[in-house]
Amino acid sequence: MLRSTAKGVPPQVTKAALLFAGSLGAQLISAVLWSQQSDAPMVWFTGGVLLAALLCQEETFWPACVGGWVIGLLASSVAFPRTLANLAAVTLPLVALILAAAWLLRRVCPGRRIDDFGRLAAFFAIGGFALPFFSALVIAGLEQTLTPGEAGPLHSWMHLALAGALGYVLLVPALISLADPKSIIRKEGTPGWLVTLAAIGAFALLWLAWRYFGHAPLLRPLLLLLPLTMVIFAALRTQIPGTSVAILLFGVVAMQISLEGRGPFLGTDMATTTLSVQLWTLGMSLAGLFLAALVEQRRMTQRALLDSSGQIRELAGRLIVAQEQERARIARDLHDDINQRLALASIQLSAIRRKVGKDSQDDISHLQHELIALSDDVRHLSHDLHPSMLSHTGLTAALAELCHAQRQRNGPRVDLRVSPHVGELSQDVALCLYRVTQEALSNAVRHAHARCISVAVDMNVTHVELDVMDDGKGFELSGDEHGEMAKGLGLLSMDERVRSLDGELHLMSTLGKGTQLCIRIPLRHPEASVPG
């Protein structure tokens, strides 16, 4: 049983209908671009529609795609009754050649993508050369067999080969890129109206230059290269689809001006002029699409790096949250369990001291003092792991207690200045400021051997800043923006905390002249509050 779509229509029917519409529309557009004076096609898009569909679809849908395409191709002959016999005769071998090319491309270029040099080169060899070349030979041979001695519209295999090559080269990579959900243009969207207006203005200037100066021999090489700048622009902004559209429009402009007897492509006759336009358009297509593929590869690599960076930052943020939760659990265990048991042991030692002789009382007293000191260390450790004062009394009191503890333990002078509005900060921002200050003070004492440290927290309506300066021994920065951040886990942790709040961290240090650490967190972040 066929799997149905949401409206109950089998997918084969939907795909056949799409290929019918695409084939009919492409055939009519190709007929519009037909050079009536040389009686030769300039570009043939219809084959490109089928090849692109076959490369994008599973092979189980190929019969439906081929059926819809053939019906659309034959239906287009209603507007051109004399071509019905020719179309019917060449349809079968043409379908066979396109199927063979699609099968070969699926094996050579797996993944239904044509966005790198290797796959694009393989596509040009198979779809841009071999397929149109053999198709033109078959069509021209059948035409000669069906209408011997008559110079019909299919009399020149070279025109046919170039028209087919242009159709495949310009249409197939563009359609595959648009159908690929991972393509850059699908993710970033089409350019804005300013870019569109600029492109229209560039095409107008090109039309004027080709029309009125194309006959000048000295200017002809420059005029032929003039569209290259616009192709580069299209490749940078819209990758493969935009590049294909731009080059097609260049070819249409060149053909239209040539039909008026002007421009840089004029030859001895109109057939030669058409070949010149086709060859120039095909050469520009090859160069432009390779450039577009290079741009798309670069953009996809950049996006992949950004996605990976975002995932790493998200993981780092989750690890920081998990770390804070684990610290809180350990701090509670230390305070509620270990510290209480130490206090109980001290009480029991007091009871034992009263029962023993005086010779042993001094030893027990000494042991009791050691337990009390150990209890104090456990209490300080619990506070360092999870500053409960931060949530109970606010950031200012927590920072004051932190600076006081550093002075008591290690002896450096610590000056603290805090903005009066910091109490309105969110818990996440306050915790970030506290942890960064805690790590900065620890580094200044343990590594820099600082004797004087200043901590300042300033806040306004747009951001909050923390500045920690010391007079320690300093160090030589590694030359990058963040100095030694990559060398220390503590500094790396600080940076990740700040980045998780869209903030910035700057580290400045000079050997023998101290260190300055500055962070800046915007209050536009949804986790921060703006003081009223």
Side-chain angles (χ1 to χ4, degrees):
M1 182 180 294
L2 295 177
R3 186 177 60 180
S4 300
T5 61
K7 295 183 178 181
V9 180
Q12 286 84 350
V13 176
T14 302
K15 297 180 188 304
L18 290 175
L19 264 294
F20 168 80
S23 173
L24 181 60
Q27 188 73 356
L28 294 178
I29 293 174
S30 301
V32 171
L33 298 177
W34 195 287
S35 175
Q36 300 297 330
Q37 296 187 21
S38 62
D39 200 16
M42 176 189 169
V43 60
W44 187 63
F45 288 121
T46 316
V49 171
L50 179 58
L51 182 59
L54 296 179
L55 292 177
C56 292
Q57 299 296 327
E58 297 290 344
E59 295 183 5
T60 54
F61 294 113
W62 282 16
C65 293
V66 171
W69 183 84
V70 169
I71 296 174
L73 179 65
L74 296 178
S76 66
S77 65
V78 174
F80 310 97
R82 290 179 294 178
T83 65
L84 178 58
N86 291 335
L87 285 176
V90 303
T91 295
L92 183 59
L94 191 59
V95 168
L97 288 171
I98 295 176
L99 284 171
W103 181 87
L104 185 58
L105 284 172
R106 289 287 289 268
R107 270 64 187 172
V108 176
C109 306
R112 308 178 192 177
R113 300 179 66 183
I114 306 177
D115 56 359
D116 57 45
F117 286 167
R119 296 182 180 188
L120 200 58
F123 170 76
F124 284 150
I126 298 173
F129 176 74
L131 176 58
F133 177 81
F134 288 110
S135 298
L137 286 180
V138 170
I139 293 173
L142 289 174
E143 181 66 15
Q144 285 293 328
T145 302
L146 294 174
T147 56
E150 180 180 345
L154 304 180
H155 69 282
S156 174
W157 73 268
M158 186 175 294
H159 283 297
L160 290 173
L162 290 175
L166 283 175
Y168 292 120
V169 168
L170 290 176
L171 193 61
V172 175
L175 291 179
I176 291 178
S177 180
L178 290 173
D180 183 10
K182 297 182 179 179
S183 65
I184 297 299
I185 195 169
R186 285 281 298 271
K187 292 183 177 181
E188 298 183 355
T190 57
W193 62 274
L194 286 177
V195 176
T196 304
L197 289 178
I200 294 174
F203 276 106
L205 291 176
L206 178 66
W207 181 83
L208 292 173
W210 277 359
R211 178 179 176 84
Y212 294 103
F213 302 100
H215 61 281
L218 292 177
L219 296 177
R220 184 171 298 174
L222 179 61
L223 293 176
L224 291 176
L225 293 176
L226 186 60
L228 189 59
T229 57
M230 288 176 271
V231 171
I232 295 174
F233 179 78
L236 292 174
R237 297 304 299 264
T238 55
Q239 289 77 56
I240 291 178
T243 303
S244 299
V245 172
I247 294 173
L248 173 62
L249 293 178
F250 292 146
V252 172
V253 170
M255 197 68 224
Q256 181 61 35
I257 294 176
S258 299
L259 291 176
E260 299 177 3
R262 298 172 176 267
F265 300 97
L266 287 179
T268 56
D269 53 27
M270 189 50 63
T272 305
T273 300
T274 303
L275 286 176
S276 298
V277 174
Q278 289 178 315
L279 287 171
W280 178 87
T281 307
L282 184 60
M284 190 66 69
S285 302
L286 297 178
L289 289 177
F290 269 114
L291 176 62
L294 176 63
V295 172
E296 185 147 351
Q297 278 185 312
R298 183 183 180 89
R299 299 285 291 276
M300 291 181 69
T301 301
Q302 291 175 342
R303 179 171 287 275
L305 289 175
L306 288 176
D307 292 342
S308 298
S309 176
Q311 293 174 359
I312 292 174
R313 287 184 60 185
E314 182 181 359
L315 176 60
R318 292 183 179 180
L319 288 176
I320 289 174
V321 172
Q323 182 188 54
E324 290 295 336
Q325 293 174 347
E326 188 65 14
R327 281 182 169 185
R329 185 190 66 79
I330 296 175
R332 285 193 302 269
D333 290 344
L334 288 175
H335 182 272
D336 298 339
D337 184 18
I338 306 297
N339 220 18
Q340 297 301 321
R341 290 163 65 183
L342 289 173
L344 180 61
S346 178
I347 295 172
Q348 291 174 347
L349 283 175
S350 297
I352 294 173
R353 187 182 59 181
R354 291 192 296 268
K355 297 178 181 179
V356 300
K358 289 188 177 182
D359 294 338
S360 301
Q361 285 182 355
D362 292 339
D363 294 335
I364 294 176
S365 296
H366 177 72
L367 181 58
Q368 189 176 18
H369 288 312
E370 290 293 331
L371 279 177
I372 293 174
L374 179 60
S375 177
D376 289 338
D377 290 340
V378 170
R379 181 172 55 83
H380 289 305
L381 178 59
S382 173
H383 177 74
D384 290 341
L385 286 173
H386 182 67
S388 57
M389 183 178 291
L390 181 64
S391 57
H392 294 155
T393 61
L395 179 61
T396 302
L399 290 177
E401 174 62 23
L402 179 64
C403 295
H404 175 73
Q406 285 290 348
R407 284 192 293 266
Q408 292 296 319
R409 292 186 217 170
N410 305 290
R413 191 184 76 187
V414 183
D415 298 325
L416 175 65
R417 178 173 56 84
V418 182
S419 171
H421 296 294
V422 297
E424 303 176 33
L425 290 172
S426 68
Q427 186 67 23
D428 286 346
V429 176
L431 180 60
C432 176
L433 294 174
Y434 182 87
R435 288 300 189 195
V436 171
T437 304
Q438 184 181 39
E439 184 67 30
L441 290 176
S442 176
N443 289 340
V445 172
R446 288 187 302 167
H447 304 299
H449 304 294
R451 303 308 305 167
C452 182
I453 307 171
S454 67
V455 179
V457 180
D458 297 309
M459 181 176 175
N460 56 33
V461 294
T462 61
H463 63 273
V464 58
E465 286 187 359
L466 168 66
D467 190 80
V468 182
M469 298 180 61
D470 66 67
D471 61 351
K473 62 182 182 180
F475 56 88
E476 291 290 342
L477 297 178
S478 60
D480 58 352
E481 179 184 358
H482 300 286
E484 296 282 331
M485 286 183 54
K487 297 183 179 180
L489 183 60
L491 289 171
L492 183 60
S493 176
M494 285 193 290
D495 186 58
E496 288 300 330
R497 286 182 182 274
V498 174
R499 286 177 181 271
S500 67
L501 296 174
D502 293 337
E504 299 176 353
L505 184 149
H506 298 283
L507 184 64
M508 294 162 282
S509 183
T510 303
L511 192 62
K513 295 185 179 180
T515 302
Q516 180 179 6
L517 177 70
C518 180
I519 69 170
R520 181 189 181 102
I521 300 176
L523 296 183
R524 298 185 303 271
H525 194 276
E527 297 297 332
S529 301
V530 179

